[in-house]
Amino acid sequence: MSDDRPHPMLQYIINNPEAFAQNLAKTLEQAGKAMAAYIEPREQGKIKTDSTDELTGVVKTLAQVSEYWVSDPQRAIEAQSRLWGGYIELWNSSLKRMMGEPSEPAVATPPRDKRFADPDWENNQFFDFVKQLYLITSKWAEDMVHEAQGLDEHTRHKAEFYVTQIANAISPSNFVLTNPELLRLTMESNGENLVKGMQHLVEDLKSGQGELKIRQTDPSKFKLGDNLGNTPGKVIAQNDVCQVIQYTPTTTEVLKRPLLIVPPWINKFYILDLNPDKSFIKWAVDQGHTVFVISWVNPDEGQAQKSFEHYMKEGILNTLDVIKRATRQKEVNTIGYCVGGTLLAVTLAYLAKTGDERIKTATFFTTQVDFTFAGDLKVFVDEEQISTLEKRMAEHGYLDGSKMSSAFNMLRSNDLIWSYVVNNYLKGKEPFPFDLLYWNSDSTRMPAANHSFYLRNCYLDNKLSKGEMEVAGETLDLSKVTIPIFNLATREDHIAPPKSVFLGSGCFGGPVNYVLAGSGHIAGVVNPPTKNKYQYWTGGDPKGLLENWLKNAEEHPGSWWPYWDEWIRSVDPTTAKARKPGANRVKILEDAPGSYVMKKV
């Protein structure tokens, strides 16, 4: 009986050669426009080519790994033999498969690797061979780094990071001719996907004014104050560092103590107010909290000398004064998120030193105060890299937001860079509208003085946990902070790892309720109860090792938000009549979310 099914390779043949040739010409034309958009601002001096230092650092780091293996002939032979052994195994299994014999793959595809989800990565022998060749080579390179002896931990961390970035970049999934899905699409559309992709590339280069600003979502679908950051409230104060937003109550009774939220200035505050269904701010208002939020300025040259001290005094301490005027309440509950939490911890130590008792509880979302086990961002922090960064910041007085955004994206480059390169520029598709990714791309600048202080005192020298940090003339000691603390970590966090947050719990002198939420740095925090997603763990005092704490911890399904609300009320459940923005003769400046958060880089 004959098999009438078309040969599998027929789907990789051009349907219309004439149309394909025309689209190829259009692709080359658009590629020329992309090159012009890249080169023009550099020729005009608007962009200075500054990649030399980064490239030198990569070469120096990987050279130290290479030196270990090539310095001993026996080790060099061993390394080569291991790689060629993998290739020979792949060749043998491929020959068996070609002859119709059963054969096991030389290397298994990682089960959660989305790059190789298309069936032809397994079913088509050519693409399966290319995939396995890549996996064998990249795994070999990773092993060379892991097994190299004589490297300090920071150098090894950098080498692992660089090897991962190179491996991710050269994946066969990123190229038309070696990706079955891309190749089929190109043949079926006669290359129209490449034309559209190059048009997207031109648009993104022009949008980034010569820098490639990869779109992760469709920005036309979102508008701040409309379908993002739209919880009702008013801006009731502002200065050179921040605006203060007070949200409109939705209950007749509220907790007597107002709630102050200190978001990170590395990103914009509306991560906690994405939309009504996801908004922690709206949820807290609905539970009866009088919510105040600091909206940090998107700095320019005018904020170049604003340091941690300025952000503490003109940010948190000034907002405490504003809250007292607005509510006639001196005592407050506080929340700090990420670096906003680090600043809040610094402020708590300062208040403890100066005898100021206005803050009665502190909640930290994915916050580090001890940076011994800090996350993957440590790869960017050493004396050489910080000095180079400080020289660049000195030119304008700030770090451009795109630099920080790129650093965060590189920590998950397959998900946040290469998947969009494939989707936008090779498939020629528009990115899916997603509020979280719109927020992620809405980057902010970093004031030079502030960012330098943070990198040196926290990541490089870890002074806060050692009791050596000096702010506003005071040497800070976190052990003097004795107020109740709710310390939230997220299990898959690569920025503030749970181990790091757990260790930081021991720096405080009072009771600490350590809670571990499922998911990562954002999704683990922005997890409303209505979604019933993930889980969280509670347990005893955060002492000893995290692994031992987890063995005795209790797992709870769903969101940790209600558990936090119960904790806040257990400290002080006293209620009062709801306070509206503008009460007590406080001047209303504008509607939330305010103008500071609207400013683009």
Side-chain angles (χ1 to χ4, degrees):
M1 183 175 180
S2 63
D3 190 348
D4 294 330
R5 290 176 300 175
H7 192 279
M9 292 308 294
L10 290 178
Q11 59 188 328
Y12 299 109
I13 295 177
I14 298 172
N15 293 327
N16 187 331
E18 183 179 351
F20 184 86
Q22 291 175 349
N23 284 326
L24 183 59
K26 292 178 183 178
T27 299
L28 294 174
E29 180 184 357
Q30 292 298 323
K33 292 180 180 179
M35 183 63 70
Y38 177 83
I39 293 175
E40 185 177 351
R42 286 163 175 79
E43 289 180 337
Q44 295 174 348
K46 295 178 180 179
I47 295 178
K48 294 183 179 179
T49 304
D50 55 4
S51 59
T52 306
D53 293 325
E54 284 92 342
L55 185 58
T56 301
V58 172
V59 172
K60 286 171 60 178
T61 300
L62 296 183
Q64 292 184 58
V65 176
S66 177
E67 183 180 355
Y68 169 77
W69 292 103
V70 301
S71 61
D72 184 329
Q74 185 62 36
R75 279 202 296 263
I77 293 172
E78 177 193 336
Q80 289 179 339
S81 299
R82 191 185 307 181
L83 178 62
W84 284 107
Y87 289 163
I88 291 171
E89 185 178 353
L90 171 60
W91 182 253
N92 289 335
S93 68
S94 298
L95 284 177
K96 286 183 178 180
R97 181 177 176 181
M98 190 180 300
M99 292 184 291
E101 298 180 18
S103 64
E104 291 293 323
V107 59
T109 306
R112 297 178 64 184
D113 197 331
K114 299 176 184 177
R115 297 174 297 175
F116 305 115
D118 188 278
D120 268 8
W121 285 113
E122 299 285 344
N123 300 334
N124 185 292
Q125 187 166 354
F126 169 76
F127 294 112
D128 186 37
F129 181 88
V130 170
K131 176 196 65 179
Q132 290 190 60
L133 186 70
Y134 164 75
L135 291 174
I136 290 170
T137 307
S138 57
K139 179 65 166 58
W140 172 83
E142 291 170 1
D143 289 344
M144 292 299 99
V145 175
H146 294 158
E147 298 174 19
Q149 298 178 15
L151 301 179
D152 63 87
E153 282 308 306
H154 181 61
T155 300
R156 189 184 305 279
H157 190 186
K158 287 199 296 183
E160 290 172 350
F161 179 79
Y162 295 147
V163 166
T164 298
Q165 298 308 311
I166 294 170
N168 290 348
I170 64 172
S171 169
S173 58
N174 297 336
F175 303 92
V176 172
L177 295 179
T178 53
N179 182 327
E181 183 183 7
L182 289 177
L183 189 56
R184 279 199 310 271
L185 177 62
T186 303
M187 298 299 103
E188 291 168 0
S189 70
N190 296 309
E192 286 184 12
N193 57 307
L194 301 181
V195 178
K196 292 178 181 177
M198 285 299 103
Q199 289 172 344
H200 292 163
L201 181 62
V202 173
E203 292 168 3
D204 289 353
L205 281 167
K206 288 182 177 179
S207 174
Q209 299 178 334
E211 300 280 8
L212 181 57
K213 189 175 182 180
I214 301 174
R215 278 176 289 178
Q216 297 174 327
T217 187
D218 183 352
S220 67
K221 297 294 190 292
F222 301 101
K223 184 179 180 181
L224 259 174
D226 184 4
N227 58 356
L228 287 175
N230 56 1
T231 298
K234 305 292 182 182
V235 175
I236 60 170
Q238 68 181 40
N239 55 29
D240 289 345
V241 165
C242 69
Q243 288 187 322
V244 179
I245 301 170
Q246 180 182 356
Y247 287 90
T248 305
T250 58
T251 58
T252 56
E253 293 284 319
V254 294
L255 282 180
K256 185 178 181 181
R257 288 179 180 169
L259 175 66
L260 168 60
I261 299 178
V262 184
W265 57 87
I266 287 175
N267 308 106
K268 293 183 177 180
F269 82 88
Y270 65 91
I271 183 59
L272 296 175
D273 191 28
L274 283 175
N275 62 50
D277 293 333
K278 297 178 183 177
S279 174
F280 177 85
I281 290 173
K282 181 183 184 301
W283 181 86
V285 170
D286 290 344
Q287 306 314 301
H289 294 272
T290 306
V291 178
F292 293 81
V293 172
I294 291 175
S295 175
W296 300 107
V297 69
N298 198 342
D300 54 24
E301 295 87 345
Q303 282 81 23
Q305 298 306 314
K306 297 292 184 181
S307 66
F308 247 55
E309 178 180 342
H310 294 97
Y311 271 59
M312 178 183 76
K313 289 184 173 179
E314 297 174 30
I316 296 178
L317 298 185
N318 177 67
T319 302
L320 294 178
D321 295 335
V322 172
I323 291 174
K324 185 179 179 182
R325 290 198 302 272
T327 65
R328 302 291 171 86
Q329 296 297 324
K330 183 178 180 181
E331 298 179 352
V332 301
N333 298 315
T334 56
I335 293 175
Y337 193 172
C338 190
V339 67
T342 305
L343 178 66
L344 177 59
V346 167
T347 305
L348 294 176
Y350 178 81
L351 295 181
K353 188 68 176 285
T354 57
D356 190 324
E357 299 181 346
R358 286 178 287 177
I359 295 179
K360 292 301 183 181
T361 70
T363 296
F364 295 113
F365 296 167
T366 60
T367 293
Q368 297 179 103
V369 295
D370 187 319
F371 288 74
T372 303
F373 302 118
D376 289 339
L377 285 174
K378 283 193 80 172
V379 75
F380 301 110
V381 180
D382 51 46
E383 181 59 45
E384 185 177 1
Q385 291 185 86
I386 292 177
S387 296
T388 299
L389 187 63
E390 286 172 337
K391 291 177 183 177
R392 291 179 186 160
M393 289 194 296
E395 295 177 7
H396 300 290
Y398 56 81
L399 176 66
D400 189 85
S402 63
K403 303 298 183 184
M404 203 69 197
S405 180
S406 295
F408 280 111
N409 287 342
M410 287 174 69
L411 300 182
R412 293 173 54 206
S413 59
N414 275 336
D415 293 331
L416 296 178
I417 296 177
W418 295 110
S419 65
Y420 293 101
V421 168
V422 171
N423 182 80
N424 300 2
Y425 309 139
L426 298 179
K427 291 183 179 179
K429 294 183 178 180
E430 294 284 349
F432 184 78
F434 187 22
D435 51 11
L436 178 59
L437 290 175
Y438 176 87
W439 166 84
N440 186 58
S441 64
D442 192 8
S443 56
T444 59
R445 301 184 182 106
M446 304 292 110
N450 183 302
H451 200 52
S452 176
F453 182 94
Y454 176 56
L455 292 178
R456 288 190 174 280
N457 284 266
C458 295
Y459 275 94
L460 189 63
D461 297 326
N462 201 17
K463 287 186 175 182
L464 182 59
S465 66
K466 297 175 182 177
E468 299 173 357
M469 181 181 285
E470 293 186 12
V471 175
E474 302 288 352
T475 302
L476 306 181
D477 184 356
L478 287 176
S479 69
K480 303 300 182 184
V481 177
T482 58
I483 63 172
I485 287 174
F486 185 100
N487 206 11
L488 178 80
T490 53
R491 191 160 195 173
E492 299 171 20
D493 199 332
H494 55 284
I495 295 172
K499 183 178 180 180
S500 183
V501 176
F502 185 87
L503 180 64
S505 299
C507 295
F508 299 100
V512 178
N513 186 357
Y514 178 83
V515 177
L516 181 63
S519 197
H521 192 74
I522 302 299
V525 174
V526 185
N527 182 27
T530 54
K531 300 294 184 182
N532 197 30
K533 293 177 65 177
Y534 311 126
Q535 71 280 90
Y536 65 96
W537 291 263
T538 59
D541 292 338
K543 297 178 181 178
L545 298 176
L546 174 61
E547 293 79 5
N548 294 333
W549 182 90
L550 267 173
K551 290 177 183 177
N552 301 309
E554 182 180 358
E555 181 176 342
H556 311 270
S559 172
W560 55 268
W561 292 9
Y563 176 75
W564 167 82
D565 188 57
E566 291 174 8
W567 176 83
I568 281 281
R569 294 174 190 277
S570 71
V571 178
D572 186 352
T574 308
T575 60
K577 289 184 179 180
R579 285 84 52 123
K580 295 182 179 180
N584 301 316
R585 298 182 180 179
V586 171
K587 185 179 180 181
I588 293 175
L589 303 181
E590 58 182 324
D591 291 336
S595 54
Y596 280 22
V597 75
M598 301 286 189
K599 185 177 180 181
K600 303 290 185 180
V601 296

